[in-house]
Amino acid sequence: MDAEEAAPPSGAAPPSGTAFASASDLSIPRDDPEQRTRACLNAVHSIELQYPRTYNCFVRIILPLFVLIGIAFLCGYFLVLFEGPGEMEANDELIAAYTDFAVRVSNDPVLVNSTDTELCVATIDMTEDIDGVAKQLRDCAGRFVGKEAEISAAVTFNWITCSKDGKPREREDQVFVVLEEWMESYRYIVSQKMEAENATSFEAHMSAVSSASGHDGCRTNMAAGALFWFTIMTTIGYGNVAPVTRGGQGLIYSLGFISILSFTAIIANTGNICLAITDDFFHRINAPKLTKGIWASLFWLSAWWLWVLTIAGISNETDKRVDEEFPLSESFWFSWISSTTVGLGDYYLPHETFRPQDMFYIPFLFLLAFVLLSNFLHKFSELVGSIFAKEQSLEMILESQRKK
């Protein structure tokens, strides 16, 4: 931090125009809220006058960025309340379809209706030679294995997280928990139907398939909702997931638009404060060339590129939570498309591996990248404007025409 302006010596009068808090301000009676409020504002203003760079860095740069993260948490929380139950229901339907398929392919005479003509094993032509029968059996097994792999990939955890102990788990662990709980629920319903209601095995199977659930150990994932809202607010929009409920979409229509406006205003203001502080620093070290023109543009462009590289290195470590290993070049590509808000969607932060603590540093890294990019664009626009500057601006020309 740059050296701050020295405070006036003890007993000296404050400079003209300042409003330092005095001892009398602190002794205002508590039954006078208006004067006490004014005294507090004066005290805050005096701190800003004494330590302008420190005050503005924390109050007008760091604090507003954390406000954006807080907005993402708040709105993301309400979003997962809408989307989480629907995702659990969709997962249960996928597992039910797989289980019904597996039972029918197995041709179990206890659980399967013998009149079902779609059974894979029942369609095998036993009149063929041994090689032909073996091939048909392999085809049936292939259908079963393919369906199992398909269901494991189709189960999603975009808005929920599942575990037995309540701790965050990797995707494979969550799939195992959901499948295991669903099968326990399925077996319990089958036994209850057959023992308590004297239902046939097939009737019990069909009832269990439609009623079993594997999400008793699941809860809504607020971190995933906050991450998604952050991509909405910053217009990154990776496109890997989207709300499907009317309530979730309504939040995007209303609060999403307000969040985008808040993000734009805060980033613009933060960029201006950052520029004022750094330009003052360059003047203090006798480097005024870095405050305007090509050198200022190159400085902020270099700072942005270095920060993109920093994000790439950090995201490369985060990617190790996923099974796939991503080289640094791909992490840099992810960092670039995120820092420019392009968000192509080929690489993104998966919801199921995102943790609540990640929201306190990953979005902050991208917000700083947006500030650096905003500062570069500001200096670059000034440079372009100075190149094509005219003696009279368009506003001046139009004003002169109106006066004629």
Side-chain angles (χ1 to χ4, degrees):
M1 182 65 63
D2 306 336
E4 304 286 9
E5 289 82 358
S10 176
S16 177
T18 61
F20 291 101
S22 63
S24 60
D25 294 329
L26 302 178
S27 60
I28 295 176
R30 297 194 178 192
D31 57 354
D32 195 345
E34 182 178 350
Q35 292 189 35
R36 180 163 293 277
T37 300
R38 188 182 301 112
C40 292
L41 293 176
N42 288 339
V44 172
H45 183 57
S46 69
I47 295 175
E48 181 180 7
L49 291 175
Q50 288 180 309
Y51 309 102
R53 287 172 289 279
T54 302
Y55 176 87
N56 282 276
C57 278
F58 282 98
V59 176
R60 298 184 180 177
I61 294 180
I62 296 177
L63 182 60
L65 296 184
F66 275 108
V67 168
L68 291 177
I69 295 176
I71 292 174
F73 262 118
L74 180 62
C75 296
Y77 169 76
F78 289 106
L79 183 63
V80 296
L81 293 182
F82 283 110
E83 301 298 323
E87 185 172 45
M88 295 181 191
E89 183 179 348
N91 287 344
D92 284 336
E93 291 176 355
L94 286 169
I95 300 172
Y98 160 71
T99 303
D100 187 54
F101 176 88
V103 168
R104 293 175 185 277
V105 168
S106 69
N107 198 23
D108 189 334
V110 177
L111 292 179
V112 180
N113 187 349
S114 59
T115 62
D116 192 340
T117 59
E118 296 181 356
L119 298 177
C120 179
V121 178
T123 61
I124 294 179
D125 186 2
M126 301 302 295
T127 61
E128 293 192 16
D129 55 21
I130 187 67
D131 292 335
V133 173
K135 181 179 182 304
Q136 294 178 73
L137 286 172
R138 286 194 299 271
D139 290 341
C140 285
R143 288 175 57 187
F144 180 81
V145 173
K147 197 70 175 179
E148 184 178 17
E150 177 184 332
I151 197 66
S152 297
V155 173
T156 62
F157 302 93
N158 294 319
W159 313 107
I160 60 175
T161 181
C162 304
S163 65
K164 291 184 176 181
D165 54 9
K167 296 180 180 180
R169 298 297 178 188
E170 305 303 330
R171 173 183 168 78
E172 291 73 16
D173 298 329
Q174 295 189 62
V175 171
F176 176 79
V177 168
V178 170
L179 291 177
E180 184 179 45
E181 288 189 357
W182 196 95
M183 291 307 301
E184 290 178 359
S185 175
Y186 169 84
R187 296 189 188 98
Y188 175 79
I189 294 174
V190 167
S191 63
Q192 287 293 312
K193 289 291 182 180
M194 294 181 67
E195 294 175 5
E197 301 180 16
N198 295 322
T200 64
S201 58
F202 183 71
E203 290 173 343
H205 160 73
M206 295 304 297
S207 177
V209 163
S210 61
S211 304
S213 176
H215 294 83
D216 291 339
C218 299
R219 55 183 173 81
T220 54
N221 188 356
M222 187 172 66
L227 171 63
F228 178 82
W229 200 270
F230 178 78
T231 64
I232 292 295
M233 179 172 58
T234 58
T235 70
I236 295 176
Y238 292 116
N240 57 307
V241 63
V244 295
T245 64
R246 295 299 183 189
Q249 292 172 353
L251 282 178
I252 303 300
Y253 287 139
S254 54
L255 297 182
F257 182 69
I258 296 175
S259 298
I260 293 173
L261 296 179
S262 302
F263 163 77
T264 305
I266 289 178
I267 289 298
N269 181 69
T270 301
N272 290 333
I273 297 297
C274 184
L275 280 177
I277 293 174
T278 52
D279 285 352
D280 175 73
F281 172 76
F282 291 143
H283 282 294
R284 287 172 177 271
I285 64 173
N286 296 321
K289 288 185 177 181
L290 294 177
T291 63
K292 59 183 178 180
I294 185 65
W295 292 109
S297 300
L298 290 176
F299 170 81
W300 288 108
L301 179 61
S302 301
W304 179 73
W305 275 108
L306 288 174
W307 195 248
V308 170
L309 282 171
T310 301
I311 296 176
I314 295 175
S315 62
N316 187 256
E317 291 297 318
T318 306
D319 288 339
K320 293 180 179 179
R321 298 177 186 172
V322 189
D323 287 341
E324 302 178 44
E325 291 291 335
F326 296 104
L328 184 59
S329 60
E330 295 184 3
S331 295
F332 178 78
W333 173 247
F334 160 75
S335 176
W336 189 90
I337 62 176
S338 299
S339 299
T340 55
T341 72
V342 173
L344 296 176
D346 49 350
Y347 293 100
Y348 52 85
L349 292 169
H351 287 199
E352 57 262 29
T353 60
F354 203 74
R355 305 288 183 259
Q357 58 268 27
D358 294 336
M359 276 298 296
F360 290 98
Y361 73 96
I362 292 181
F364 192 76
L365 295 175
F366 286 120
L367 290 173
L368 287 180
F370 299 147
V371 171
L372 295 175
L373 182 59
S374 173
N375 290 350
F376 161 69
L377 294 175
H378 180 86
K379 293 296 185 181
F380 186 71
S381 64
E382 287 183 349
L383 173 63
V384 174
S386 65
I387 294 175
F388 297 98
K390 300 179 181 179
E391 294 184 359
Q392 284 187 313
S393 65
L394 176 61
E395 290 80 4
M396 295 174 63
I397 296 174
L398 295 176
E399 183 179 1
S400 63
Q401 290 182 350
R402 290 196 303 270
K403 294 180 178 180
K404 290 182 180 180

